[in-house]
Amino acid sequence: MVILRQSSALTKPTSVKLENNAYTGVVIAIHPDEEESEELIDAIKTMVYDASAYLYTATKKRAYFEEVTILVPDTWEDKPEYRSPKNATFEGADVIVAPRNPRFAPEPDLPPVPHTKHYEGCGGQSIHVHFTSHFMLDSMTELYYGNRGRVFVHEWGHYRWGLFNEYADEIADVDNAQNFYFSLDEEIWKPTRCSDGFVAYNLVFDNGRYRYCNGDQYIGYEDGCVSIPATSQPDVTASIMSGYTSIPEIVDFCDEDVAPAQRHNQEAPTNTQGFVALRATGK
């Protein structure tokens, strides 16, 4: 992994490429407002190493990270191992580590949720992935979100392939934010997610604690009811875009014409097309 020092270069960095199953040209840039921190650099390195192995498994050996560059602010102390940034800039980075965006991090005491800024649909590359130093360094991050490398692969699905979340996303996908939907195939109410075989508990937060929701799969559930997966899932391996990357068994993107453990849930009210995007775009 190469570490560069930011300068006033005017052009964007080399585009990310996927050749011989290897991603190269990926730039992770640290915002100038971030305090100088060797720990932050080490955390980014660990995240990328973990993400590469997870991505390789999730894409059926089609992709991994081979060349990733960390761009540090020019206000940081220069070091012998730092190289010239050439055309790499913060504005052109694929991933940024920057102060939190209140829209995606309404709780200042919790590690902010990473997010990907994108305007294109499925198959279109996004603007960048946004992590914060709080997320990268807080010891509680993995308790809330699981391994950072796994989270990065989830965000890479957004960034590189334009995938959407496969859950009721009330921040980034308001139009499709339904915790449950009525299945016309089975004529029951089901949780919005992919794949379809999760072991889960339908709960609502009430008076400071969770309780089981009123209602059932035949008549529907009360407002505020959410379906929370169990920490172990014997029957599913997908999907990474469901946001449950902390569950050990979740190692796949949803796909079509595969076993039920990984099969895309076509009925769920989400916009994603799962692993189909990688095969279709080849990027």
Side-chain angles (χ1 to χ4, degrees), residues 179-197:
N179 286 312
F180 294 85
Y181 68 97
F182 186 73
S183 169
L184 296 178
D185 289 343
E186 300 182 47
E187 297 186 340
I188 58 174
W189 288 90
K190 302 177 70 172
T192 299
R193 60 169 157 253
C194 180
S195 54
D196 198 27

Side-chain angles (χ1 to χ4, degrees), residues 244-255:
Y244 305 131
T245 51
S246 61
I247 298 174
E249 292 86 354
I250 303 304
V251 295
D252 292 314
F253 292 99
C254 273
D255 205 346

Side-chain angles (χ1 to χ4, degrees), residues 163-185:
L163 301 183
F164 292 90
N165 286 320
E166 291 171 336
Y167 57 85
D169 188 345
E170 297 179 356
I171 296 176
D173 193 16
V174 177
D175 292 340
N176 292 299
Q178 298 174 233
N179 286 312
F180 294 85
Y181 68 97
F182 186 73
S183 169
L184 296 178
D185 289 343

Side-chain angles (χ1 to χ4, degrees), residues 139-176:
S139 61
M140 299 298 287
T141 292
E142 296 205 356
L143 176 64
Y144 286 108
Y145 305 114
N147 178 271
R148 292 178 181 85
R150 284 176 163 234
V151 175
F152 184 22
V153 171
H154 171 94
E155 296 300 328
W156 190 258
H158 291 312
Y159 173 71
R160 189 63 177 171
W161 309 317
L163 301 183
F164 292 90
N165 286 320
E166 291 171 336
Y167 57 85
D169 188 345
E170 297 179 356
I171 296 176
D173 193 16
V174 177
D175 292 340
N176 292 299

